[in-house]
Amino acid sequence: MPKTAPFEEHTDRYEGWFEAHDAAYQSEIEALERLVPSPGYGIEIGVGSARFAEPLGLSVGIDPTEAMLEYARERGIDTVRGVAEALPFADDSFETALIVTTICFVDDIPQTLAEADRVLEPSGRLVIGYIDKDSPVGQRYQETKDENPFYRDATFVSTDELLTALEAAGFTEFEFVQTIYHWLDEIDGPEPIEEGYGDGSFVGIKATR
């Protein structure tokens, strides 16, 4: 079964997660806004249903899952069906490239980062948001991944692993934010947004050259 199958089959369940965990979702949005307050002409790679692209002001979204792209189009995103490892865009096309949670679902992280680097302008920025493998939420997700159709085939990454891959892809400057300090079902209000990483389970990285 391809990794995209659960997203085609359980789109409503995916959307329902955001509604059930709105406080956590809003905290993640606020954290990423600190890294992309003004994205310019931007793309979200693995846009899904545009739960992040729309509020963060990105114009374009690419995803392999047609059911998700239908939601993204309804949210005003210019959508393209495709995969992160082979972006159908010219070099230097975007000022911002955003990847949220998708990094744990791609088949080839180095190729994904190389493609993001290619389609970014020289002064552009790549922003990645993800659940850190070494965090409390990341550890629980890994322990229970077989029970979740979305995470069953996910490969979680740590911040240190991602930094190594980003440096190999040519990125040299990094800025970090973190949030989500409790288990998701226990969050009923905004979580703190802090600089750095290592404490919060959700980490955002802005990478530039």
Side-chain angles (χ1 to χ4, degrees):
M1 179 182 293
K3 291 181 182 179
T4 56
F7 295 93
E8 290 280 14
E9 297 169 9
H10 303 288
T11 311
D12 291 343
R13 178 172 170 177
Y14 176 88
E15 282 290 288
W17 184 95
F18 291 96
E19 292 161 15
H21 301 91
D22 185 64
Y25 166 53
Q26 295 301 332
S27 297
E28 294 174 355
I29 290 287
E30 184 183 337
L32 294 171
E33 278 179 336
R34 299 203 181 183
L35 300 179
V36 278
S38 179
Y41 187 56
I43 181 172
E44 184 175 3
I45 299 167
V47 69
S49 61
R51 284 282 186 168
F52 291 92
E54 181 197 19
L56 292 170
L58 292 130
S59 306
V60 180
I62 185 168
D63 201 277
T65 310
E66 180 58 34
M68 290 289 185
L69 291 176
E70 289 177 14
Y71 277 97
R73 284 191 286 272
E74 290 174 5
R75 293 189 166 114
I77 305 300
D78 182 9
T79 63
V80 177
R81 191 168 186 183
V83 296
E85 294 88 350
L87 299 176
F89 303 101
D91 297 358
D92 306 336
S93 293
F94 299 99
E95 295 168 74
T96 300
L98 177 70
I99 303 174
V100 185
T101 67
T102 298
I103 202 69
C104 66
F105 295 108
V106 299
D107 292 325
D108 188 329
I109 288 178
Q111 179 63 19
T112 295
L113 298 180
E115 277 291 271
D117 176 60
R118 181 185 64 78
V119 301
L120 280 171
E121 296 178 354
S123 60
R125 80 282 280 182
L126 171 61
V127 176
I128 305 178
Y130 57 99
I131 296 292
D132 191 316
K133 180 176 77 172
D134 296 335
S135 71
V137 173
Q139 290 172 352
R140 191 184 294 199
Y141 275 174
Q142 290 172 95
E143 291 165 3
T144 61
K145 64 187 296 186
D146 290 342
E147 303 167 18
N148 186 310
F150 301 112
Y151 285 122
R152 195 168 292 144
D153 295 317
T155 303
F156 293 92
V157 294
S158 69
T159 300
D160 290 339
E161 289 169 340
L162 201 45
L163 279 175
T164 298
L166 283 164
E167 288 171 345
F171 293 93
T172 56
E173 301 290 331
F174 306 102
E175 183 180 338
F176 304 90
V177 294
Q178 57 186 329
T179 189
I180 309 299
Y181 297 89
H182 301 88
W183 178 239
L184 300 176
D185 292 339
E186 299 166 1
I187 297 172
D188 57 7
E191 288 279 89
I193 314 294
E194 306 287 349
E195 295 181 356
Y197 65 95
D199 295 318
S201 289
F202 183 83
V203 178
I205 301 177
K206 178 169 74 173
T208 53
R209 307 160 185 92

